[in-house]
Amino acid sequence: MNFKNIKRSIISVSDKSNLKIILPILKKFNVQIISSGGTFKKIKSMGYKCIEVSDYTGFSQMLDGRVKTLHHKIYAGILNIRKNRKHKEDLKIKKISNIDLVIVDLYPFENKLNKNVKYNKLIEYIDVGGPALIRAAAKNFNDVTVISDVVDYKLLTKELLVNKGSTSIEFRKKMSAKAFGLTAHYDSVIAGWMNNNLNIKFPKNISIHGKLVEKLRYGENPHQDGSFYKIENNLGIKQLHGKNLSYNNYNDIYSALTILKYLKKNQGTVIIKHANPCGVSSEKNKIISFKNSLACDPVSAFGGVVAINSSISKNLALELKKIFFEVIIAKGFENDLLKILKEKKNVRIIDSSTFVLKNKKNYLFLGNSFLTQDTNEIIFNKKLKIVTKKKPTKNQLESLKFAFHICKFVKSNAIVLSNAKSTIGIGSGQPNRLDSSKIACDKALKFLPSKIKNSVAASDAFFPFADGIEELIKLGVSAIIQPGGSVNDKEVIKAADNAGVVMVFTETRHFKH
Amino acid sequence: MNFKNIKRSIISVSDKSNLKIILPILKKFNVQIISSGGTFKKIKSMGYKCIEVSDYTGFSQMLDGRVKTLHHKIYAGILNIRKNRKHKEDLKIKKISNIDLVIVDLYPFENKLNKNVKYNKLIEYIDVGGPALIRAAAKNFNDVTVISDVVDYKLLTKELLVNKGSTSIEFRKKMSAKAFGLTAHYDSVIAGWMNNNLNIKFPKNISIHGKLVEKLRYGENPHQDGSFYKIENNLGIKQLHGKNLSYNNYNDIYSALTILKYLKKNQGTVIIKHANPCGVSSEKNKIISFKNSLACDPVSAFGGVVAINSSISKNLALELKKIFFEVIIAKGFENDLLKILKEKKNVRIIDSSTFVLKNKKNYLFLGNSFLTQDTNEIIFNKKLKIVTKKKPTKNQLESLKFAFHICKFVKSNAIVLSNAKSTIGIGSGQPNRLDSSKIACDKALKFLPSKIKNSVAASDAFFPFADGIEELIKLGVSAIIQPGGSVNDKEVIKAADNAGVVMVFTETRHFKH
């Protein structure tokens, strides 16, 4: 066993409210405390003994505190290897004492960044002394204990009590790993901020940092352990009711909210199954919107995630109650309506009122590597081009835009059939476009044959051949929207013209995998 | 404009081979150099003037170099705000001079980690002084230039030449952002190593770090910027021929190699389209294996990614040449065979001989947050349970295992039909299991009706109702493998028994989204 007795500590913290947890135990074991500035004053005011760091080093603080603890006497006291005779000798010659415990939290850079503190002010919140102290102690975990998180004050107290003023190597190692996790996170936030300001999208070194929100019951499957981390402090989703969210719930909820974000404000419904939409409607009337999104594939909707882009009305709550959903998401639930929904078995209820999608980049992990790219923000980046003899009516055009819009969120190859602003058939995740077309058509024929008249179709990428659109024409769609750009465009347009069907090119592709 | 003249520098580098790039320019502009240890000796030996850091600080190095530059005289020289009168006064009183340039590279921790240096030795490669210097200079970018990457020595030279011994604020900001990117990466590697050693899967703070491999022509779609980063140093894929890999190529290549990894060593073929397999075979004979994987869906295979789990033979090269693939992957290509394949238009050729999947965790990004979990390593974690009256033959069981195995890699809901060790129908990415069953059956009927006899089916999760398996029975499969666990299992088993079809439960689910 490798226990280390603690005789001397250095404490420097931004958040002083928890000092009361550790000071009594340090006193109990006669641990000397070195501190400076606000922490020093606070400790003294609480009636504990404490040495000012400048008294300890013999070097007065300067540059408004920019250089306080950055002193060799401190670092030699932390970094020396206790069992190394030469190190011992070095310390003796220079009259330097060991420092066995470092308790530091860092200037709250991320916090200030989130509060939109101005650029020049923000720089002052880049802590230099703190990370240096933490890292020195964390490197020398064999001899030194580092506490970098107020949450661990209680653990330290317990550890010292159990081991009579000492800490175990297991404890020190854990605290060391945490410390490096913290400094990595801290610098990742700073680097991200700087790169953003410089408009550098793809820096040489990139770090994506997350804070643990919760350990999940399991991952995508029961034999995989999983956890959920946040990048932004405010996730904007609040669970009001139900069992803990699962890995797949989180994935589906995110898929749903991403689609809603791009629908008209406070309008629309999305139903998600296996991270793909199986019904979307952007009708103004909440009930119609919900019913239409459900009607697109009522079989698949069972056990899915439904997201409403507004608050819930009583009538809607009663409709929602009729169907089994694993998760219901909306922008606010009045108490009495929440009561109605809570009567459903096994439902999780999420308030997404404050959901905002901040990230402008996404990441795709490939084991030893990852891809990163801009999030797919736009829908059309070119003017629409009508390529058939027949031109779309105003209503057709609106419906085409809606269908193409939804295509963006369906896994490729994606075909979306819509009537007005509701999907009536979604073909997703197929290795060729004809298959996706067939699936979408089969759905429409099965569940909504009455809505095929005047329906339109959208494709996330160009049709390489006419076969896909022939399938759609056979079904009876009145108009088709697609990026265009195939070597066979002529043939494809001809097929549309022959059938008297409108075709619109977007010149914008929306692959999603 | 904010140009800062450089009068004094501190240099401390592990990699000394590039000093020759910067020393002449520093001499040209009379920049004083402070250095220590190996860097000091090297600079002197090259005939340049240099002050030992201990002469500069008046404090001799101690603890075998663990404390060298961690001295207030150094930090005050770096951190003071030049335009701040009080800071100026502080420096004057303490007789401290400005340090305007910090050139530091860090102890090569990651490098040593990859070389499996022992735990206790590795700790010595955790740099404490280096990151502290870099971070101090990077914080004070308004006055100080920090160079943390040897790649930037040439940029610095150019900058000093153009600006006659000064650097611009733009340059200093860029170098500062890089510096924080480096320290974030550095500590992320250390934290990851420590957490691994402690078996901590989900630490409170997690950072995923990547090094830029290349900026891509674009992301998933042409209007998205994209880049490729590596986590592990050795990606194990080497492009031998063809245009640059695209975002979607990388995604597909990874999907292919992940499947091959789990096939029998040096055996098998995978064809990927839109990150899903559209044909897999694990036949021993290379030609049969390729032909079978192609036959599963020759329409979708067009323009796909094909991956061979072995080296290429001449016959195979000739077969591959007949089909248009965007990417061909194999474990080694002899020169004359490479020549044959290079004749194909627009093909990218990848050697995956050294591909190893190291990561034990994967990450799924959800905008403001991410999910992380164990990679899905196992195929079966329970003993197989035969639930029908009819028992599988040895061949059937082998084929069932293969089909279930492939299910793991197909996006949910996944249904895989196989004959022996080759897929004959893959149904992927559907919001309900019946739809996936139908798609798989349609494929088999369309492309390989002769192989339906004696075929088997696998499902990545349980059948919630009998409808899905009725579809498979109607097609004519002889056996079905699935996790089981539905409330309707009885009904499902009964349907199999009535049809005289074998059913095996795995009790292991393989969702993939």
Side-chain angles (χ1 to χ4, degrees), chain A residues 347-367:
Chain A
V347 68
R348 293 151 170 107
I349 301 177
I350 304 283
D351 184 345
S352 66
S353 305
T354 63
F355 180 79
V356 184
L357 253 188
K358 272 195 177 177
N359 262 21
K360 297 277 177 240
K361 273 201 283 189
N362 64 42
Y363 303 91
L364 179 66
F365 272 80
L366 311 176

Side-chain angles (χ1 to χ4, degrees), chain A residues 376 378-381 404 408 412 433 459-462 482-484 506-513, chain B residues 218-224 246-248 274 326:
Chain A
N376 188 0
I378 61 123
I379 298 164
F380 307 104
N381 67 350
F404 190 69
K408 201 177 108 168
S412 300
R433 203 150 295 277
S459 170
D460 63 344
F462 66 63
Q482 59 134 324
T506 64
E507 293 180 44
T508 307
R509 187 180 82 185
H510 288 299
F511 274 159
K512 179 177 188 283
H513 297 101
Chain B
Y218 50 76
E220 206 163 5
N221 296 294
H223 60 278
Q224 292 166 276
S246 71
Y247 185 101
N248 295 315
H274 292 289
E326 264 205 22

Side-chain angles (χ1 to χ4, degrees), chain B residues 131-181:
Chain B
L133 277 177
I134 286 179
R135 296 184 75 264
K139 168 173 177 157
N140 208 15
F141 61 81
N142 200 44
D143 292 310
V144 180
T145 306
V146 60
I147 303 290
S148 59
D149 186 346
V150 289
V151 167
D152 298 323
Y153 291 2
K154 280 184 191 163
L155 283 183
L156 174 67
T157 303
K158 206 178 137 196
E159 181 77 9
L160 291 175
L161 275 177
V162 169
N163 302 311
K164 294 169 188 142
S166 296
T167 58
S168 64
I169 182 68
E170 291 75 23
F171 181 74
R172 292 196 303 279
K173 275 187 179 176
K174 262 188 210 165
M175 293 299 113
S176 171
K178 263 192 103 163
F180 281 111

Side-chain angles (χ1 to χ4, degrees), chain B residues 301-312:
Chain B
F302 181 87
V305 168
V306 61
I308 316 289
N309 209 15
S310 62
S311 62
I312 299 256

